[in-house]
Amino acid sequence: AGCATVATEVVQYNPAVQYPPTPSVEVLLQKPTRPHMEIALIEASGGSEAELLNTAREKARLLGAHAIVKLETERVYHEPVPIYDPWYDPFYFGYYRHRPFPPFPHPWGPYRYVGGGFSYLLKASAIRYTDQPPA
C-alpha cells in the first residue's frame, strides 16, 4: 500500500475551447454561488484522498480551471491475495537446496498473503469563473 499510484482521467466538456493554465486552483466541497462554467470532469483513483485531490488540482490547473468541486469520494477495500511461494513448498526441489537443515514448516504452507487495504475513488468537476477578468 505504500507504493500506491494515482490514476487520473480527465474528460473535457468542450475540447475545442482551450484556456491558459492558472497559477492556483481552489478545492471546493460544494458548488460556488459565483457565476461559473464547468469545463471538465476529473476522476482519480489510487492512494489517499489527499493525493487524489492534489492530482485533480494539478490536472485542473493545466486545463485553466479556477477551482474543482468535489462531487463524490468512495473508499474501496481490497482483500489480501494469496500467492504461491515455492521456497516454502516441501515438494519443490529448491526447498532444501542451500540449507543444511530443513526450515521450520510454516503454518500457512507454501502460500503468502500480499496486499489488501483501502484505496479511494474521487470524482470532481473543474470549473472556471465567468466573472473573472481575462488573464
Side-chain angles (χ1 to χ4, degrees), residues 2-126:
C3 59
T5 59
V6 176
T8 308
E9 296 290 327
V10 178
V11 178
Q12 290 182 340
Y13 292 132
N14 189 359
V17 179
Q18 299 292 323
Y19 300 104
T22 54
S24 65
V25 173
E26 296 179 291
V27 176
L28 305 174
L29 300 179
Q30 59 186 2
K31 289 191 177 187
T33 56
R34 288 175 65 178
H36 64 277
M37 57 187 277
E38 296 182 0
I39 59 173
L41 175 68
I42 301 171
E43 293 185 0
S45 63
S48 68
E49 190 173 359
E51 290 173 339
L52 298 181
L53 284 171
N54 283 332
T55 304
R57 178 186 286 178
E58 180 61 26
K59 295 285 186 180
R61 187 188 73 78
L62 295 175
L63 289 173
H66 294 123
I68 59 172
V69 179
K70 182 175 144 183
L71 301 176
E72 69 178 79
T73 305
E74 185 179 345
R75 184 177 177 187
V76 180
Y77 175 69
H78 302 282
E79 293 280 335
V81 178
I83 60 166
Y84 175 71
D85 191 356
W87 182 256
Y88 296 108
D89 193 352
F91 300 109
Y92 183 64
F93 176 73
Y95 191 72
Y96 299 114
R97 181 179 290 175
H98 301 292
R99 297 179 179 186
F101 301 104
F104 181 77
H106 294 282
W108 57 81
Y111 289 90
R112 292 183 185 206
Y113 286 91
V114 176
F118 291 95
S119 67
Y120 291 87
L121 299 172
L122 169 75
K123 287 186 182 180
S125 179

